[in-house]
Amino acid sequence: MNATPSFGPATGVGSLPGTDAREAAKAATGSFEDFPFLPELPARGPGADMIGRTAGLLVELYARVEPSGWRLGDRPGQDTRRAVSWLGEDLDALEEFTQDYEGPLKVQAVGPWTLAAALELRNGESVLSDPGACRDLAASLGEGLRLHLAEVGRRIPGARLVLQLDEPSLTAVLRGRVRTASGYRTHRAVDRQVVESTLRDVIGIHTGGPVAVHSCAPEVPFALLRRAGAAAVSFDFSLLTERDEDAIGEAVEGGTQLFVGVVPGTDTALSDPAGSVMGVRTLWRRLGLQPGLLAEAVTVTPSCGLAGASPAYARQALAHCVRAARSLADNPE
């Protein structure tokens, strides 16, 4: 991890609406000239969803779609091949629109704990139910991410790669809220030290740049993520409570970047850009943080992925993030 990772003022979370890889890459690079990202297009179907896409990155582990979801199997099937093919299309499109690009570029994958909560073992139960399977999955994911980052780096050599691990189920894993296959019980909470250690191992594979961890769920464990080595934490600003404020203050003072989700992820009437970040300014004042730090420490994003938005709104939301970030920089107080 870089000692002083540099991020852009605004970026996307990951998913966009539609099925056209070139259109998505054009939007992701055209909207964020300082911090583009590799888009995900789940509307294409199984294998383009976040779980299927990341399952396609696994090394020596394979998954296929069952009626209940993604399940580990013995060999790669058509679902895995489709995921790999679509990722290749997305990389081709991104490469086309990032010729000569130099600067931060974000790629996303599902983190080890959300993946363990979502993938099923052969018996239909979640990988989360088996500590040994969780370890194997994290090791496979780490190796797959290392190869994936090397491929992106080869295609876009001027990019400084930022890896985003999507962990929306992390709090549920820590709190014992992930339901069993029957739906009648929940899996027991995973020990916090095990969660932290596994995250640290996966974060540690990206030796060439910083790692952000994203969760658009409530109760993001900021302190745990920082201890695990996350250089940035990405979250839905509207879900913060007073309980989170001290952890956020400590994160900023410790040099952690905040990817602040302030632009709604589904179609709505957007306020003016300054209004979108007013709550961020208010929080800053309440925490007694230096206004001059604001634009440096905050990257503005949508509140979550934009897959559920209309294409027109998605483009509008990305542009709104850029204008909101500019408002923060111009008027930090």
Side-chain angles (χ1 to χ4, degrees):
M1 193 173 69
N2 295 347
T4 54
S6 60
F7 303 96
T11 192
V13 170
S15 67
L16 291 176
T19 59
D20 187 321
R22 286 187 79 256
E23 277 298 310
K26 188 177 174 184
T29 56
S31 302
F32 302 113
E33 295 176 3
D34 302 318
F35 196 5
F37 66 100
L38 174 63
E40 301 162 3
L41 299 173
R44 290 184 293 200
D49 60 298
M50 59 189 269
I51 299 299
R53 188 180 182 91
T54 302
L57 295 174
L58 297 174
V59 173
E60 294 181 3
L61 283 179
Y62 311 105
R64 64 179 186 273
V65 177
E66 296 286 340
S68 53
W70 284 89
R71 183 173 295 183
L72 293 176
D74 297 322
R75 62 184 70 84
Q78 65 175 11
D79 301 315
T80 306
R81 285 194 289 272
R82 195 184 296 124
V84 172
S85 172
W86 275 329
L87 178 56
E89 272 182 38
D90 294 339
L91 287 172
D92 289 343
L94 186 70
E95 187 177 358
E96 178 186 343
F97 288 101
T98 50
Q99 296 293 315
D100 305 319
Y101 174 72
E102 293 184 359
L105 169 71
K106 183 164 70 68
V107 298
Q108 306 83 222
V110 177
W113 292 108
T114 295
L115 200 60
L119 284 180
E120 297 173 359
L121 296 167
R122 290 173 182 80
N123 64 6
E125 203 48 87
S126 165
V127 170
L128 198 62
S129 66
D130 183 333
C134 287
R135 284 192 295 273
D136 291 346
L137 181 63
S140 172
L141 174 63
E143 181 59 16
L145 288 173
R146 191 182 64 73
L147 296 170
H148 177 47
L149 290 163
E151 168 74 359
V152 180
R154 183 185 64 74
R155 287 169 173 259
I156 310 166
R160 295 193 305 278
L161 297 183
V162 176
L163 172 62
Q164 175 181 300
L165 295 175
D166 292 321
E167 281 284 14
S169 300
L170 182 60
T171 300
V173 168
L174 288 165
R175 300 288 171 91
R177 295 176 186 160
V178 178
R179 296 212 163 272
T180 57
S182 69
Y184 295 122
R185 295 185 301 110
T186 55
H187 293 287
R188 125 183 356 166
V190 180
D191 182 89
R192 295 182 81 84
Q193 286 184 314
V194 173
V195 169
E196 184 182 322
S197 165
T198 300
L199 278 169
R200 186 180 298 112
D201 289 347
V202 176
I203 287 170
I205 64 99
H206 187 27
T207 54
V211 176
V213 178
H214 166 72
S215 172
C216 47
E219 303 174 78
V220 175
F222 287 93
L224 183 151
L225 295 175
R226 290 178 56 226
R227 289 195 304 271
V233 181
S234 172
F235 57 96
D236 180 345
F237 188 78
S238 71
L239 296 179
L240 290 184
T241 67
E242 282 184 30
R243 286 201 305 271
D244 299 311
E245 292 188 3
D246 286 346
I248 286 175
E250 288 168 15
V252 172
E253 288 175 343
T256 303
Q257 187 82 1
L258 304 180
F259 287 18
V260 177
V262 294
V263 179
T266 50
D267 293 40
T268 188
L270 293 171
S271 68
D272 67 296
S276 294
V277 287
M278 188 163 42
V280 182
R281 288 195 188 92
T282 303
L283 175 63
W284 223 252
R285 281 197 296 273
R286 208 158 53 233
L287 292 174
L289 295 166
Q290 294 175 354
L293 265 178
L294 193 49
E296 279 177 42
V298 168
T299 295
V300 176
T301 73
S303 58
C304 208
L306 292 165
S310 67
Y313 175 79
R315 287 191 296 273
Q316 189 185 354
L318 299 183
H320 195 85
C321 288
V322 174
R323 289 196 292 270
R326 197 172 298 134
S327 166
L328 270 187
D330 292 346
N331 302 297
E333 299 186 70

